Amino acid sequence: MRSDEDGGSPDWDEAKEYCRKAGLVGVGWGFSRLRDNARLATVISACNGRKGWSQGAATIRRLAEDVEDGDLMWTRDGLGRYWLAQINGPWRYDKSPLSVKYDLYNVRPACWLKTSWRDFEVPGAVVRSFTGPGQSLRRIGDHPAAIRITEMLWEAETRGGNVVASFTPEEAIREIFDPTDIEDLVLLSLQAAGWVLIPSSRLHDTPVYEAALRRPGSGKVAVVSVKSGPDNHVDMRALRDAAGSAKAFAYSTHNRYEGKQDGITKITTRSLTAFMSEHPELLPPRIERWLRL
């Protein structure tokens, strides 16, 4: 959101680079009539008094009051790189020339990591937070695994990888990996076993299975159902019916299967951890990195 200083629009990548160099995080909604270091109540009142700026008032209040010192915050730049910062000071209203230039009037001090990551290196819940319409400032939500991984990445970069508790591949599958990570792991293991993914099959919102594959040579078709978490189960009968003449695979992170196996091949956590151990070079970069933290 641009301030009322002028009608232009800042270069957001330049603005984010400025934040990293200046040690800040910030949002816009500035007013030319307000002085530097204006009170929070004054800024919020000004936003509420301007038509269409009520969202700005809510965002400024969240940045000033809901975000706590020590909180970790992600942003993404125009090249798709993800940057991580830690908040380390109170809100203030900033009328310095560069903050005005980049529409960053409402700021908090922050320490930025020099490292950036690509989308396949950060938690899936973080990536999804940047897709589609959304607020300028928002919590990742109820994704404890993404929060834990974010904390581990921060600790590994600032203090070294040995300061955080390690976890076994089994624990990672049950507690850390995002559902998309589990699907990737299962599909990669099947491809390493000789099956080839039909890419477009992952794009369809099928209610029973996640993807289809084919076997080189024979041309045999297979489908696979993958369920993550203790509250999701594989409906074996529905999977068998949906598969038809195709071979069916099923995997549940918490061993939750409903109905008879009826010719369906269950993928075990043991087989997945063996694949992870034998083929680390095939793992998605974020999974490989997390297992080394």
Side-chain angles (χ1 to χ4, degrees):
M1 176 65 72
R2 191 58 177 157
S3 73
D4 68 347
E5 295 280 357
D6 58 62
S9 181
D11 183 310
W12 291 117
D13 278 348
E14 286 186 11
K16 291 174 182 180
E17 184 177 3
Y18 162 68
C19 282
R20 294 195 297 272
K21 290 180 178 179
L24 298 171
V25 299
V27 295
W29 292 286
F31 293 86
S32 57
R33 69 178 185 275
L34 298 184
R35 60 177 176 81
D36 192 41
N37 292 316
R39 295 172 60 242
L40 177 62
T42 302
V43 177
I44 290 177
S45 176
C47 279
N48 284 328
R50 181 168 179 141
K51 185 177 180 180
W53 279 36
S54 60
Q55 179 186 346
T59 299
I60 294 167
R61 188 181 295 280
R62 284 199 303 274
L63 178 64
E65 298 181 340
D66 295 347
V67 176
E68 300 179 357
D69 281 0
D71 279 356
L72 298 175
M73 187 172 293
W74 287 99
T75 191
R76 184 180 67 179
D77 66 20
L79 296 177
R81 298 174 299 184
Y82 291 77
W83 300 84
L84 184 60
Q86 185 178 61
I87 305 299
N88 59 13
W91 169 91
R92 66 185 174 90
Y93 188 75
D94 186 358
K95 286 291 290 290
S96 64
L98 286 177
S99 285
V100 171
K101 174 182 178 180
Y102 292 121
D103 188 20
L104 295 166
Y105 293 82
N106 296 276
V107 301
R108 290 189 63 168
C111 176
W112 288 91
L113 294 181
K114 297 184 184 301
T115 303
S116 65
W117 291 275
R118 293 161 292 182
D119 59 343
F120 49 80
E121 296 175 306
V122 302
V126 172
V127 176
R128 290 193 295 275
S129 293
F130 288 90
T131 59
Q135 299 169 327
S136 301
L137 177 68
R138 54 181 166 179
R139 293 280 182 184
I140 290 176
D142 187 19
H143 297 283
I147 294 170
R148 182 177 174 187
I149 287 293
T150 298
E151 292 171 346
M152 291 172 67
L153 288 171
W154 179 266
E155 293 293 327
E157 291 293 325
T158 57
R159 299 171 58 192
N162 294 328
V163 300
V164 294
S166 61
F167 46 81
T168 66
E170 291 84 357
E171 291 173 329
I173 287 174
R174 289 172 61 90
E175 301 175 20
I176 296 298
F177 292 167
D178 185 270
T180 302
D181 297 322
I182 298 297
E183 288 182 23
D184 284 346
L185 189 60
V186 169
L187 291 171
L188 286 167
S189 71
L190 287 173
Q191 291 183 93
W195 292 90
V196 177
L197 174 68
I198 302 174
S200 62
S201 68
R202 285 198 81 181
L203 303 178
H204 298 296
D205 184 19
T206 54
V208 180
Y209 58 85
E210 276 60 53
L213 307 96
R214 296 205 77 173
R215 189 80 176 184
S218 69
K220 191 170 184 178
V221 177
V223 297
V224 57
S225 177
V226 182
K227 300 300 179 187
S228 299
D231 299 325
N232 296 314
H233 68 270
V234 178
D235 186 332
M236 302 294 267
R237 179 176 178 178
L239 177 58
R240 181 69 273 163
D241 289 344
S245 60
K247 183 175 178 60
F249 293 95
Y251 177 67
S252 165
T253 57
H254 289 68
N255 202 35
R256 295 207 59 208
Y257 302 94
E258 198 169 274
K260 295 181 179 180
Q261 189 165 345
D262 193 23
I264 297 172
T265 299
K266 289 183 180 178
I267 298 170
T268 65
T269 296
R270 178 177 295 181
S271 69
L272 289 181
T273 57
F275 165 72
M276 293 161 67
S277 175
E278 294 168 6
H279 297 286
E281 78 284 358
L282 296 181
L283 299 178
R286 61 177 166 229
I287 291 180
E288 182 188 14
R289 178 183 175 84
W290 298 344
L291 292 175
R292 289 189 282 106
L293 288 177

